[in-house]
């Protein structure tokens, strides 16, 4: 039937499809299948790896090891977002708890490493500085683009046909009559 590596890739594809469905949002009926597909793919990936080749075993082990990092980070990020003023109600204890989970995920990264070398630390620091330099460049570019574009005139109002089309779409999606 299927070998282990094919199953491993199939499970990763199921997870990717689930993530894509989940990102479609509530206006698409397929979005409700996203989270169950992600769970199905992860469950099968963990419990049914099949007969794996040497490379497949390495990939499977690295995926399993990443759970100890990804799980606390994801929980912490969800808690922080839920307790931030932008996405929920501001709560200092909630923010503190979320950041504890995020810090725990970073601690797992550093505790799993047996040895540290100056070359690895230097390489990591250079990577972080490169990422920060890229982010600064993006922010400067956005700032300059926004500043130089200025305000534009308002767009023309919708025509009667365009307004009727928008009304029909909203009525169909909301399931009622708009007044």
């Amino acid at each position: 039937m299927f070998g282990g590596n094919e199953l491993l890739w199939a499970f990763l594809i199921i997870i990717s499809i689930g993530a894509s469905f989940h990102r479609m949002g509530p206006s698409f009926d397929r979005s409700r299948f996203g989270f169950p597909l992600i769970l199905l793919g992860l469950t099968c990936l963990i419990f049914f790896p099949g007969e794996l080749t040497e490379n497949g075993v390495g990939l499977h082990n690295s995926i399993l090891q990443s759970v100890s990092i990804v799980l606390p980070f994801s929980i912490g990020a969800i808690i922080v977002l839920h307790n931030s003023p932008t996405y929920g109600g501001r709560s200092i204890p909630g923010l503190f708890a979320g950041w504890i989970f995020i810090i725990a995920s970073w601690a797992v990264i550093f505790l799993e490493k047996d040895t540290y070398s100056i070359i690895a630390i230097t390489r990591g620091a250079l990577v972080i500085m490169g990422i920060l330099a890229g982010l600064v460049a993006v922010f400067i570019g956005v700032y300059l683009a926004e500043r130089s574009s200025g305000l534009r005139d308002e767009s023309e109002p919708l025509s009667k046909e365009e307004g009727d089309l928008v009304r029909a779409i909203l009525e169909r999606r909301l399931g009622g009559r708009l007044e």
Side-chain angles (χ1 to χ4, degrees), residues 63-79:
I63 290 171
L64 291 180
Q65 288 173 348
S66 70
V67 170
S68 64
I69 299 166
V70 172
L71 188 65
F73 182 83
S74 298
I75 291 170
I78 290 169
I79 292 172

Side-chain angles (χ1 to χ4, degrees), residues 157-169:
L158 295 177
S159 69
K160 174 75 172 134
E161 295 83 23
E162 292 169 332
D164 291 341
L165 177 63
V166 169
R167 179 178 292 280
I169 291 170

Side-chain angles (χ1 to χ4, degrees), residues 83-163:
N83 292 293
S84 67
T86 304
Y87 296 105
R90 183 180 175 97
S91 168
I92 299 298
L95 287 172
F96 183 74
W99 279 107
I100 292 295
F101 274 101
I102 292 171
I103 291 169
S105 70
W106 280 92
V108 169
I109 292 172
F110 289 112
L111 293 175
E112 284 184 352
K113 195 84 165 144
D114 292 334
T115 59
Y116 297 99
S117 69
I118 191 69
I119 295 172
I121 293 171
T122 305
R123 187 176 295 150
L126 290 174
V127 167
I128 290 173
M129 288 190 319
I131 290 171
L132 291 176
L135 286 173
V136 167
V138 167
F139 288 136
I140 290 172
V142 168
Y143 173 76
L144 291 175
E146 291 290 327
R147 189 167 179 230
S148 67
S149 65
L151 295 176
R152 305 265 186 228
D153 293 333
E154 290 184 19
S155 62
E156 295 294 321
L158 295 177
S159 69
K160 174 75 172 134
E161 295 83 23
E162 292 169 332

Side-chain angles (χ1 to χ4, degrees), residues 38-73:
I38 292 171
L39 284 179
L40 173 70
L42 284 173
T43 304
C44 292
L45 184 68
I46 292 170
F47 293 116
F48 306 116
E51 299 292 326
L52 299 175
T53 63
E54 185 178 334
N55 291 336
V57 169
L59 177 61
H60 186 258
N61 288 340
S62 67
I63 290 171
L64 291 180
Q65 288 173 348
S66 70
V67 170
S68 64
I69 299 166
V70 172
L71 188 65
F73 182 83

